[in-house]
Amino acid sequence: MTTSGLTSEAASPRAEHDNKAMGAESLAPQQTRIMGRGSYFLAWFGGCVSIGTFAMGSSVVGTLNLLQATLAIAIGCFVIGVALAINGAAGYKYGIPFMVQARSAFGFTGTRIPGLVRAVPAIVWYGFQSWIGAGALNMVSATLFGFDNLVFYFIAFQLLQIALSVTGFQGIKWLENIGSAFILCSLTYMFYATVQRYGDELSASLFTMEGSWGLPFWGATMLFLGIYSTMMLNVSDYAREHKRGTGGGLLTTIYAMSILPCTLFMGLIGFMVSEATGTADPIQVFANAVDNTPLLMTTLLFIAFAQVTTNVLNNVVPPTYVLMDVFKMRFPTATILVGLLAFLTFPWKLVQPESAAGLQLFVQTYSAFLGPIFAILVVDYYVIRRRTLDLDKLYDPQGPYKGVNLAAVIAMAIGIVAALIFSTVSWYASLVPAGLAYYLLMTRWSGCQRFTQ
């Protein structure tokens, strides 16, 4: 049997590996798992400091009050935790990545559809967050050394991230674990500095405005959830690295509680500062909020560092595995190409004053595509396959999963239509239509239950 996208050492899908070298990732079932519970928790904690959360907080100003914004973030994180545990179960059990997991639902060729849908937002966020990190470094340089060249720092920053990405999960593990303490301390200080600097402006409005507990509130939960809706698809890419022995309930807790602190801090900081100042650019916000130069430099370095930890984990691995599957690339080559593609997202266009509204629309739009895929994967694994996968068939390109599964494509289209109709809560709205359609097509209407070239 010829396996798809595997290295020669992994010709058998059940091949054992005694160790795992840096950058030696493959699509073969993961045998050597390098992250225990503590390490896995810290990896998710360090990888979820998204500046995009800041922008999402900015986008709900004038719609929600402070209590509503806080609850919206908390609910979003809880849903994220449950969704990650549910869809990551296949990867955790069998050690397979997302692109292999999706073959049972979409087929070998059809998997390129969810792969592309997952890869594009990752590359866009990669470029956006790299530009933010470069901006922070440039401000440090301009303040301390008088050297002000944002383009130079963007290129240098991106090359640094590419170099770190090539190390694979061994490098990711140590980067995230070591950086988590610095991230937590910095976030706590940034929140404190924001309240101290803008407290008077905040007290008059955020606590007294009525806000909304209706559709805008649930739409806000989806915005904060939507930032991670991409990771809900490819969570198996990470779950396969977690050592065996953790139950579903504990995994849900690990996911939710690792994501909540960073999301809550960043979302509320963006919410409060944008309400007080009207500014959505985090670099300008913290430059104004911190009067002490050493502390400002520390804050800016945190912003830059946080972009590295988030990009390397969340925005490099998914499109890398897609390239490995579709084009049979090796992991280091694919990570380099992903880093170069991030240059083409023109991230400087995403940090304009109107960027918060644009990013909100971006999240709502791609969530409309991600929700149906999530529902299809869950129904396929738990209902159709009954949590039992045949690995030999998943790695046989000429086997029963050859081609495209029409049932998955049709169900995905139905889910997308539902999501676009209810765009404010697009991810939620797409789940039942897509999942139900896939189940019916696979069990009742056998004409659509086939894989075709």
Side-chain angles (χ1 to χ4, degrees), residues 260-280:
L260 178 62
C262 294
T263 306
L264 192 62
F265 273 126
M266 291 303 296
L268 290 183
I269 290 172
F271 178 69
M272 293 188 296
V273 171
S274 293
E275 199 282 335
T277 68
T279 302

Side-chain angles (χ1 to χ4, degrees), residues 33-101:
R33 304 194 177 198
I34 62 175
M35 292 185 182
R37 292 172 185 170
S39 180
Y40 198 59
F41 176 91
L42 292 175
W44 280 90
F45 181 94
C48 292
V49 190
S50 172
I51 294 297
T53 309
F54 183 100
M56 292 305 100
S58 300
S59 72
V60 299
V61 169
T63 303
L64 306 182
N65 60 37
L66 187 60
L67 174 62
Q68 291 163 343
T70 302
L71 288 177
I73 295 172
I75 291 172
C77 290
F78 174 74
V79 175
I80 293 165
V82 174
L84 289 171
I86 290 174
N87 196 38
Y92 183 58
K93 179 178 180 179
Y94 292 100
I96 55 176
F98 162 63
M99 290 299 288
V100 174
Q101 175 189 356

